[in-house]
Amino acid sequence: FGAAAQRLRISPLVGYLIAGVAVGPFTPGFVGDADLAMQFSEIGVILLMFGVGLKFSLADLWAVRGVALPGALVQMTAATLLGYGVGALMGLGAAESIMLGFSLSVASTVVLLRALEDRHMVKTENGRICVGWLVIEDIAIVLAIVLLPTLAGFANGDSGGLPLTAVLSTLAVTIGKIGVFVALMLFVGARFFPWLIVQIAHLKSRELMSLGALTLALGIAWVAYELFDASFALGAFLAGVVLNGSKFTHKIAEDSLPLRDTFAVLFFVSVGMLFDPMTLVRE
Protein backbone atom coordinates (compact mmCIF):
# COMPACT_ATOMS: atom_id res chain seq x y z
CA PHE A 1 0.00 0.00 0.00
CA GLY A 2 2.88 2.36 0.74
CA ALA A 3 4.43 1.62 -2.65
CA ALA A 4 1.10 2.19 -4.40
CA ALA A 5 0.70 5.55 -2.67
CA GLN A 6 4.22 6.56 -3.71
CA ARG A 7 3.48 5.64 -7.33
CA LEU A 8 0.35 7.81 -7.18
CA ARG A 9 2.56 10.67 -5.91
CA ILE A 10 0.89 10.94 -2.53
CA SER A 11 2.52 10.38 0.84
CA PRO A 12 3.31 6.73 1.67
CA LEU A 13 1.76 7.46 5.09
CA VAL A 14 -1.65 7.37 3.39
CA GLY A 15 -0.84 3.90 2.09
CA TYR A 16 0.17 2.69 5.56
CA LEU A 17 -3.09 4.01 7.04
CA ILE A 18 -5.14 2.25 4.33
CA ALA A 19 -3.16 -0.94 4.99
CA GLY A 20 -4.23 -0.70 8.63
CA VAL A 21 -7.86 -0.27 7.60
CA ALA A 22 -7.57 -3.33 5.33
CA VAL A 23 -6.35 -5.60 8.13
CA GLY A 24 -8.47 -3.97 10.84
CA PRO A 25 -11.49 -5.50 12.59
CA PHE A 26 -13.98 -3.31 10.70
CA THR A 27 -13.26 -4.64 7.20
CA PRO A 28 -13.78 -8.16 5.80
CA GLY A 29 -10.93 -10.63 5.38
CA PHE A 30 -7.82 -11.06 7.50
CA VAL A 31 -7.89 -9.28 10.85
CA GLY A 32 -4.57 -8.38 12.46
CA ASP A 33 -3.78 -8.31 16.17
CA ALA A 34 -4.64 -4.73 17.11
CA ASP A 35 -3.15 -4.98 20.61
CA LEU A 36 0.19 -6.19 19.25
CA ALA A 37 0.12 -3.50 16.57
CA MET A 38 -0.39 -0.81 19.22
CA GLN A 39 2.61 -2.12 21.19
CA PHE A 40 4.75 -2.05 18.04
CA SER A 41 3.54 1.48 17.34
CA GLU A 42 4.75 2.60 20.78
CA ILE A 43 8.20 1.23 19.91
CA GLY A 44 8.01 3.19 16.66
CA VAL A 45 7.28 6.43 18.52
CA ILE A 46 10.12 5.75 20.97
CA LEU A 47 12.69 5.05 18.24
CA LEU A 48 11.55 8.02 16.15
CA MET A 49 11.81 10.46 19.06
CA PHE A 50 15.17 8.96 20.07
CA GLY A 51 16.47 9.51 16.55
CA VAL A 52 15.26 13.11 16.51
CA GLY A 53 16.82 13.71 19.93
CA LEU A 54 20.18 12.54 18.58
CA LYS A 55 20.07 15.45 16.13
CA PHE A 56 19.38 18.08 18.79
CA SER A 57 21.55 19.61 21.46
CA LEU A 58 20.32 21.42 24.54
CA ALA A 59 21.53 24.64 22.95
CA ASP A 60 19.23 24.02 19.96
CA LEU A 61 16.21 23.65 22.23
CA TRP A 62 17.13 26.60 24.44
CA ALA A 63 17.53 28.82 21.39
CA VAL A 64 13.88 28.39 20.34
CA ARG A 65 12.31 28.67 23.80
CA GLY A 66 11.03 32.20 23.11
CA VAL A 67 8.86 30.93 20.25
CA ALA A 68 8.13 27.30 21.15
CA LEU A 69 7.01 27.77 24.77
CA PRO A 70 4.48 30.61 24.43
CA GLY A 71 3.51 29.48 20.95
CA ALA A 72 2.61 25.95 22.04
CA LEU A 73 0.68 27.13 25.09
CA VAL A 74 -1.29 29.77 23.17
CA GLN A 75 -1.99 27.39 20.30
CA MET A 76 -3.19 24.59 22.62
CA THR A 77 -5.42 26.98 24.57
CA ALA A 78 -6.92 28.49 21.41
CA ALA A 79 -7.49 25.09 19.76
CA THR A 80 -9.08 23.69 22.92
CA LEU A 81 -11.48 26.64 23.18
CA LEU A 82 -12.34 26.46 19.48
CA GLY A 83 -12.90 22.71 19.72
CA TYR A 84 -15.11 23.23 22.75
CA GLY A 85 -17.12 25.83 20.83
CA VAL A 86 -17.53 23.57 17.80
CA GLY A 87 -18.58 20.69 20.04
CA ALA A 88 -21.19 22.88 21.73
CA LEU A 89 -22.55 24.01 18.34
CA MET A 90 -22.80 20.36 17.28
CA GLY A 91 -24.89 19.61 20.34
CA LEU A 92 -22.25 17.65 22.26
CA GLY A 93 -22.19 17.69 26.04
CA ALA A 94 -19.67 19.81 27.91
CA ALA A 95 -17.40 16.85 28.71
CA GLU A 96 -17.37 15.65 25.11
CA SER A 97 -16.69 19.20 23.87
CA ILE A 98 -13.70 19.52 26.21
CA MET A 99 -12.38 16.17 24.95
CA LEU A 100 -12.80 17.31 21.35
CA GLY A 101 -10.91 20.52 22.10
CA PHE A 102 -8.03 18.71 23.81
CA SER A 103 -7.81 16.23 20.94
CA LEU A 104 -7.59 19.01 18.35
CA SER A 105 -4.99 20.98 20.31
CA VAL A 106 -2.16 18.45 19.99
CA ALA A 107 -0.28 17.68 16.78
CA SER A 108 0.77 14.12 15.94
CA THR A 109 4.47 14.00 16.77
CA VAL A 110 5.10 11.06 14.45
CA VAL A 111 3.31 12.58 11.46
CA LEU A 112 4.98 15.97 11.82
CA LEU A 113 8.48 14.59 12.35
CA ARG A 114 8.16 12.23 9.38
CA ALA A 115 7.06 15.18 7.23
CA LEU A 116 10.01 17.29 8.44
CA GLU A 117 12.47 14.46 7.79
CA ASP A 118 11.10 13.83 4.29
CA ARG A 119 11.72 17.50 3.50
CA HIS A 120 15.13 17.59 5.25
CA MET A 121 13.89 20.35 7.56
CA VAL A 122 14.62 18.88 11.01
CA LYS A 123 17.86 20.84 11.43
CA THR A 124 16.50 24.11 10.03
CA GLU A 125 15.34 26.94 12.29
CA ASN A 126 11.71 26.13 11.57
CA GLY A 127 12.40 22.45 12.25
CA ARG A 128 13.97 23.25 15.63
CA ILE A 129 10.96 25.38 16.55
CA CYS A 130 8.61 22.55 15.55
CA VAL A 131 10.48 20.01 17.68
CA GLY A 132 10.59 22.36 20.68
CA TRP A 133 6.88 23.05 20.18
CA LEU A 134 6.16 19.30 20.15
CA VAL A 135 8.13 18.76 23.37
CA ILE A 136 6.05 21.45 25.12
CA GLU A 137 2.85 19.88 23.76
CA ASP A 138 3.95 16.47 24.98
CA ILE A 139 4.46 17.76 28.52
CA ALA A 140 1.22 19.74 28.41
CA ILE A 141 -0.87 16.78 27.28
CA VAL A 142 0.44 14.66 30.17
CA LEU A 143 -0.87 17.37 32.52
CA ALA A 144 -4.10 17.63 30.52
CA ILE A 145 -4.70 13.88 30.94
CA VAL A 146 -4.43 14.37 34.72
CA LEU A 147 -6.93 17.25 34.60
CA LEU A 148 -9.34 15.89 31.99
CA PRO A 149 -11.50 13.55 34.12
CA THR A 150 -12.07 16.24 36.74
CA LEU A 151 -12.76 18.97 34.18
CA ALA A 152 -15.25 16.68 32.47
CA GLY A 153 -16.91 15.98 35.82
CA PHE A 154 -17.19 19.69 36.63
CA ALA A 155 -18.50 20.39 33.11
CA ASN A 156 -21.27 17.83 33.57
CA GLY A 157 -22.09 19.08 37.07
CA ASP A 158 -20.77 15.90 38.66
CA SER A 159 -20.34 16.78 42.32
CA GLY A 160 -18.98 13.31 42.99
CA GLY A 161 -15.70 14.22 41.34
CA LEU A 162 -12.48 14.92 43.20
CA PRO A 163 -12.31 18.22 45.10
CA LEU A 164 -10.29 20.98 43.45
CA THR A 165 -7.55 20.77 46.09
CA ALA A 166 -7.01 17.09 45.34
CA VAL A 167 -6.81 17.82 41.61
CA LEU A 168 -4.28 20.61 42.12
CA SER A 169 -2.26 18.36 44.41
CA THR A 170 -2.16 15.59 41.81
CA LEU A 171 -1.20 18.10 39.13
CA ALA A 172 1.62 19.51 41.27
CA VAL A 173 2.97 16.01 41.94
CA THR A 174 2.92 15.21 38.21
CA ILE A 175 4.72 18.45 37.32
CA GLY A 176 7.26 17.72 40.06
CA LYS A 177 7.91 14.20 38.77
CA ILE A 178 8.42 15.41 35.21
CA GLY A 179 10.73 18.16 36.48
CA VAL A 180 12.81 15.66 38.46
CA PHE A 181 13.09 13.37 35.43
CA VAL A 182 14.21 16.19 33.14
CA ALA A 183 16.74 17.38 35.72
CA LEU A 184 18.14 13.86 36.19
CA MET A 185 18.50 13.40 32.45
CA LEU A 186 20.20 16.76 31.88
CA PHE A 187 22.56 16.72 34.86
CA VAL A 188 23.20 13.01 35.47
CA GLY A 189 22.20 11.26 32.25
CA ALA A 190 24.13 13.74 30.09
CA ARG A 191 27.34 12.60 31.81
CA PHE A 192 26.64 8.93 32.46
CA PHE A 193 25.01 7.69 29.25
CA PRO A 194 27.62 9.05 26.79
CA TRP A 195 30.32 7.49 29.00
CA LEU A 196 28.42 4.18 28.95
CA ILE A 197 28.14 4.21 25.15
CA VAL A 198 31.89 4.85 24.86
CA GLN A 199 32.59 1.83 27.09
CA ILE A 200 30.37 -0.34 24.88
CA ALA A 201 32.05 1.01 21.73
CA HIS A 202 35.47 0.02 23.11
CA LEU A 203 34.32 -3.61 23.03
CA LYS A 204 34.37 -3.28 19.21
CA SER A 205 31.16 -5.24 18.66
CA ARG A 206 28.69 -3.71 16.21
CA GLU A 207 25.77 -5.72 17.55
CA LEU A 208 26.51 -4.67 21.15
CA MET A 209 26.69 -1.04 20.04
CA SER A 210 23.30 -1.25 18.32
CA LEU A 211 21.79 -3.17 21.22
CA GLY A 212 23.17 -0.70 23.75
CA ALA A 213 21.63 2.27 21.95
CA LEU A 214 18.24 0.55 21.60
CA THR A 215 18.31 -0.52 25.24
CA LEU A 216 18.98 3.06 26.31
CA ALA A 217 16.15 4.40 24.14
CA LEU A 218 13.56 1.84 25.25
CA GLY A 219 14.76 1.69 28.85
CA ILE A 220 14.75 5.44 29.48
CA ALA A 221 11.36 5.77 27.76
CA TRP A 222 9.97 3.08 30.06
CA VAL A 223 11.47 4.71 33.16
CA ALA A 224 9.99 8.07 32.15
CA TYR A 225 6.54 6.53 31.76
CA GLU A 226 6.53 4.10 34.67
CA LEU A 227 8.32 6.07 37.39
CA PHE A 228 7.89 9.74 36.49
CA ASP A 229 4.44 9.88 34.84
CA ALA A 230 5.98 11.34 31.67
CA SER A 231 5.37 9.94 28.19
CA PHE A 232 7.37 7.39 26.22
CA ALA A 233 8.02 10.06 23.58
CA LEU A 234 9.48 12.60 26.02
CA GLY A 235 11.70 9.98 27.66
CA ALA A 236 13.06 8.72 24.34
CA PHE A 237 13.63 12.25 23.05
CA LEU A 238 15.66 13.22 26.11
CA ALA A 239 17.62 9.97 25.80
CA GLY A 240 18.66 11.07 22.32
CA VAL A 241 19.40 14.63 23.44
CA VAL A 242 21.81 13.55 26.20
CA LEU A 243 23.70 11.36 23.69
CA ASN A 244 23.95 14.21 21.18
CA GLY A 245 27.48 15.45 20.71
CA SER A 246 29.25 12.21 21.64
CA LYS A 247 31.63 10.92 18.99
CA PHE A 248 29.36 7.93 18.31
CA THR A 249 26.15 9.91 17.78
CA HIS A 250 26.23 9.56 13.99
CA LYS A 251 26.86 5.80 14.17
CA ILE A 252 24.05 5.28 16.67
CA ALA A 253 21.64 7.21 14.44
CA GLU A 254 22.74 5.29 11.36
CA ASP A 255 22.46 1.86 13.00
CA SER A 256 19.01 2.53 14.47
CA LEU A 257 17.51 3.97 11.27
CA PRO A 258 16.19 0.70 9.71
CA LEU A 259 14.42 -0.37 12.91
CA ARG A 260 13.13 3.14 13.46
CA ASP A 261 11.59 3.35 9.99
CA THR A 262 10.04 -0.11 10.22
CA PHE A 263 8.37 0.47 13.56
CA ALA A 264 7.28 3.98 12.58
CA VAL A 265 5.40 2.45 9.65
CA LEU A 266 3.66 0.09 12.07
CA PHE A 267 2.48 3.15 14.01
CA PHE A 268 0.45 4.29 11.00
CA VAL A 269 -0.84 0.76 10.37
CA SER A 270 -2.06 0.56 13.99
CA VAL A 271 -3.87 3.89 13.62
CA GLY A 272 -5.56 2.61 10.46
CA MET A 273 -6.74 -0.49 12.35
CA LEU A 274 -8.71 1.75 14.74
CA PHE A 275 -10.74 3.33 11.94
CA ASP A 276 -14.21 2.07 11.09
CA PRO A 277 -15.03 3.24 7.51
CA MET A 278 -18.76 2.89 8.19
CA THR A 279 -18.46 5.82 10.62
CA LEU A 280 -18.43 8.05 7.53
CA VAL A 281 -21.79 6.58 6.49
CA ARG A 282 -23.44 6.51 9.93
CA GLU A 283 -22.27 9.98 11.03
Side-chain angles (χ1 to χ4, degrees):
F1 281 103
Q6 186 83 357
R7 291 296 296 270
L8 294 172
R9 299 192 177 185
I10 57 178
S11 172
L13 305 186
V14 177
Y16 307 148
L17 289 168
I18 296 174
V21 175
V23 299
F26 304 106
T27 52
F30 173 77
V31 176
D33 187 332
D35 291 335
L36 185 61
M38 290 300 291
Q39 292 178 40
F40 282 150
S41 75
E42 292 284 11
I43 296 175
V45 172
I46 289 170
L47 295 181
L48 181 67
M49 293 301 292
F50 177 66
V52 171
L54 287 172
K55 300 175 183 178
F56 277 82
S57 65
L58 294 174
D60 290 332
L61 291 174
W62 189 251
V64 300
R65 70 189 185 283
V67 177
L69 180 58
L73 295 178
V74 170
Q75 174 255 312
M76 288 188 71
T77 302
T80 300
L81 292 174
L82 286 170
Y84 181 86
V86 170
L89 289 173
M90 292 169 59
L92 298 177
E96 289 84 356
S97 297
I98 290 175
M99 188 66 192
L100 176 63
F102 272 136
S103 300
L104 293 174
S105 72
V106 184
S108 170
T109 301
V110 179
V111 174
L112 186 52
L113 289 178
R114 284 299 293 260
L116 289 173
E117 287 189 330
D118 289 345
R119 291 161 177 77
H120 307 290
M121 291 178 62
V122 174
K123 292 294 288 180
T124 65
E125 183 180 5
N126 286 339
R128 289 195 298 270
I129 291 172
C130 282
V131 172
W133 198 298
L134 288 171
V135 170
I136 300 301
E137 281 193 353
D138 197 63
I139 294 173
I141 201 62
V142 171
L143 303 179
I145 289 171
V146 174
L147 283 173
L148 192 59
T150 303
L151 287 176
F154 285 143
N156 284 339
D158 182 7
S159 59
L162 289 173
L164 184 60
T165 53
V167 176
L168 294 176
S169 175
T170 303
L171 188 62
V173 169
T174 302
I175 293 173
K177 284 184 175 181
I178 294 175
V180 169
F181 172 70
V182 172
L184 284 173
M185 288 299 295
L186 298 184
F187 295 107
V188 179
R191 292 169 174 79
F192 175 69
F193 294 127
W195 173 85
L196 184 61
I197 285 292
V198 169
Q199 303 311 306
I200 295 173
H202 285 162
L203 298 175
K204 297 181 179 179
S205 169
R206 181 175 179 176
E207 64 205 50
L208 282 176
M209 186 71 174
S210 299
L211 186 60
L214 291 174
T215 302
L216 276 180
L218 296 171
I220 293 173
W222 179 84
V223 167
Y225 176 80
E226 191 70 19
L227 302 183
F228 294 96
D229 291 340
S231 65
F232 286 127
L234 180 63
F237 177 74
L238 287 177
V241 168
V242 298
L243 289 178
N244 179 277
S246 72
K247 58 183 178 180
F248 297 105
T249 300
H250 181 72
K251 178 171 175 54
I252 293 171
E254 189 178 87
D255 289 350
S256 64
L257 187 60
L259 269 178
R260 190 182 62 167
D261 285 346
T262 301
F263 280 102
V265 166
L266 292 175
F267 168 84
F268 294 101
V269 174
S270 70
V271 172
M273 293 177 73
L274 299 174
F275 176 60
D276 180 2
M278 290 306 295
T279 302
L280 300 177
V281 177
R282 290 194 305 267
E283 305 295 340

